[in-house]
Amino acid sequence: MEEKEADDKRMDFLKNYTLNSLKLTQDKWREFLAVKENHKLVGNFFDQADVIYPLLTNKDNMKEWPKVVSEDVIQQTHKLKNEASVLGGLIGGRTVLPLPENAEVLEGTSPVCRLSDAIDSKLMHAFETVIIDWTHQISEVLKKDSAQSIFYELNPLPKAEFDFWNDRLKNLECIHEQLMNPKVQKMAEILETAESVYWPALRNIFKDVREGLKEAENVILYLTPLQKRLDEMENVEYSLLPSHIKAVMYTVALTWANSEYYCRPERIIVILQEISNLLILKTENFLGPEEVMRGFHQKDEMLGKIRKGIVTLVTLRETFDQCRLSMDRFFKGKKTKNWEFPSHLVFTRLDAFLQRLQQIELFER
């Protein structure tokens, strides 16, 4: 047995359980695994997420069980499978929509899928149950906001905004792909034909996901040029930052003017706060807390660095004001939508940091 397999705790568990249950020796287990087909069978059992599921729902294993017990076992096993799938999706950053119990009847060849047939009430209940679950899951995805990290005072950088929208798009694409599954489409057809009260809810799920996809695609389209500008700015020497700030701020204004979904104060405030956080961080790294303290002994050198920091932060403030006062130029004939939000919503942290630098600069003159 390979070293990897020897360290596999799942294999140890299965071996010990089998040998103890059947009162067998270690040699029997080694003989069992020596057969290539058996070795492959055990590997498949571990690697496939639903090998266990057919085992627990096989009606041949329940012939002597009371009907109520077998039905409960099948129901609970399906519920466990769905919960494991949803959890596995969350761990991977994706939303997994659980399928209804007995979803196999939604295969196109199944007689129950002939819409002229009466649909079993238990099956309809299973459909309606998952629609409630899907509604909650998708609502959780769509209500997430990139501003949450700011609310928690985590001082995020622009990368957080770009990562948020890229992850959101990938997750919504994953959800949309699941909704396009033939089984889900057949389920929708059945609910619509049966005039179920849950059909409008499912229809809204399709609509919300499509709109969410459109929004994420649009936002990423217009954030991509801004991301390139910020990447360039991050990689330049500190003394060159002021020359890049104007290009960054103009790109923010163009995003505001052209993106159908990013022209909202709450969106633009977030990215401007994150840009401010980036410049604060770069200024802190440029100055260095220890360097500032040593500046009392190396006054001229430290004073020069502090003044560079002040110039950089003031440049951001001034460029923001310039864009704000000349917003017409970015809309090019369209109706202008101005930045009417108070500037302190963007620059509270930057202004406080700038004020501290100005106080140190005044003290060290």
Side-chain angles (χ1 to χ4, degrees):
M1 188 180 296
E2 296 180 2
E3 183 179 351
K4 181 179 178 182
E5 294 172 348
D7 294 336
D8 193 333
K9 295 186 183 302
R10 300 172 303 168
M11 189 71 80
D12 288 340
F13 173 82
L14 184 61
K15 178 186 72 174
N16 293 333
Y17 185 85
T18 303
L19 297 182
N20 291 333
S21 299
L22 301 178
K23 302 187 184 307
L24 299 174
T25 64
Q26 296 279 347
D27 291 339
K28 292 294 183 182
W29 180 256
R30 284 192 287 270
E31 290 173 10
F32 171 76
L33 284 185
V35 179
K36 186 176 181 180
E37 290 75 12
N38 293 342
H39 196 280
K40 183 178 179 181
L41 184 67
V42 173
N44 289 339
F45 179 77
F46 287 138
D47 294 337
Q48 296 178 15
D50 57 354
V51 171
I52 298 177
Y53 180 73
L55 183 66
L56 294 176
T57 56
N58 189 337
K59 293 184 179 179
D60 289 338
N61 296 334
M62 307 178 183
K63 288 179 180 178
E64 298 182 3
W65 296 10
K67 184 178 179 181
V68 65
V69 174
S70 60
E71 288 181 350
D72 185 61
V73 168
I74 291 173
Q75 183 179 9
Q76 294 301 324
T77 302
H78 180 78
K79 181 180 178 183
L80 179 62
K81 178 188 177 185
N82 280 345
E83 289 175 350
S85 297
V86 171
L87 181 60
L90 289 174
I91 292 172
R94 297 292 176 264
T95 299
V96 174
L97 304 178
L99 287 172
E101 188 178 350
N102 296 325
E104 63 274 5
V105 302
L106 293 170
E107 299 288 351
T109 56
S110 173
V112 79
C113 287
R114 299 172 192 153
L115 299 182
S116 58
D117 294 347
I119 302 299
D120 181 79
S121 60
K122 184 178 178 182
L123 186 60
M124 287 294 287
H125 176 71
F127 291 173
E128 293 162 354
T129 298
V130 296
I131 289 173
I132 294 172
D133 292 338
W134 293 356
T135 300
H136 291 310
Q137 286 179 279
I138 292 168
S139 175
E140 284 295 317
V141 172
L142 295 177
K143 77 179 184 181
K144 286 182 179 177
D145 196 304
S146 61
Q148 288 174 328
S149 56
I150 290 176
F151 295 150
Y152 295 130
E153 298 183 351
L154 298 177
N155 302 327
L157 303 179
K159 184 179 183 300
E161 184 76 352
F162 306 138
D163 288 347
F164 173 85
W165 285 104
N166 281 309
D167 289 343
R168 187 184 184 93
L169 177 61
K170 290 176 183 176
N171 196 20
L172 286 169
E173 286 175 338
C174 176
I175 293 172
H176 185 263
E177 183 179 348
Q178 293 174 76
L179 292 175
M180 293 300 104
N181 185 310
K183 291 181 180 180
V184 176
Q185 293 293 306
K186 180 63 70 174
M187 187 177 85
E189 192 178 356
I190 292 171
L191 289 169
E192 182 180 15
T193 302
E195 298 182 345
S196 167
V197 295
Y198 285 85
W199 162 238
L202 181 57
R203 186 173 56 199
N204 286 336
I205 287 173
F206 286 117
K207 175 175 172 288
D208 291 344
V209 171
R210 283 195 299 269
E211 290 183 354
L213 266 175
K214 183 182 177 184
E215 176 192 45
E217 289 168 347
N218 178 271
V219 169
I220 289 174
L221 175 66
Y222 287 100
L223 283 184
T224 299
L226 177 60
Q227 184 174 9
K228 291 179 180 177
R229 292 285 190 188
L230 286 167
D231 287 344
E232 291 171 2
M233 190 175 79
E234 275 202 82
N235 293 318
V236 300
E237 293 182 12
Y238 188 84
S239 60
L240 299 177
L241 281 180
S243 63
H244 286 261
I245 288 174
K246 184 175 181 179
V248 167
M249 191 58 68
Y250 278 22
T251 307
V252 172
L254 286 169
T255 301
W256 166 269
N258 291 285
S259 173
E260 180 183 354
Y261 294 96
Y262 217 73
C263 56
R264 302 174 189 171
E266 64 272 19
R267 294 268 164 84
I268 217 70
I269 287 171
V270 166
I271 191 63
L272 287 172
Q273 284 183 338
E274 291 170 343
I275 292 170
S276 297
N277 290 337
L278 176 61
L279 287 177
I280 290 171
L281 178 63
K282 289 186 74 67
T283 303
E284 287 176 335
N285 292 338
F286 174 66
L287 298 176
E290 295 179 1
E291 292 294 327
V292 173
M293 295 306 297
R294 283 204 296 268
F296 292 110
H297 305 289
Q298 302 172 356
K299 188 168 292 188
D300 291 341
E301 181 182 350
M302 195 63 232
L303 192 58
K305 295 181 75 172
I306 290 173
R307 284 173 176 165
K308 282 183 180 179
I310 291 172
V311 168
T312 299
L313 301 181
V314 168
T315 299
L316 178 64
R317 263 320 226 124
E318 290 178 345
T319 309
F320 169 83
D321 290 335
Q322 290 168 7
C323 290
R324 189 176 201 170
L325 292 172
S326 58
M327 192 57 65
D328 289 349
R329 64 187 293 190
F330 299 105
F331 279 80
K332 295 183 179 178
K334 297 185 294 182
K335 183 179 179 181
T336 302
K337 185 176 181 181
N338 290 309
W339 286 348
E340 297 178 347
F341 49 87
S343 61
H344 70 81
L345 294 178
V346 175
F347 296 116
T348 297
R349 182 167 179 256
L350 182 136
D351 286 345
F353 184 76
L354 177 59
Q355 185 178 23
R356 288 199 298 273
L357 289 186
Q358 290 170 332
Q359 289 171 346
I360 294 173
E361 190 259 350
L362 182 64
F363 183 79
E364 289 203 0
R365 282 183 184 176

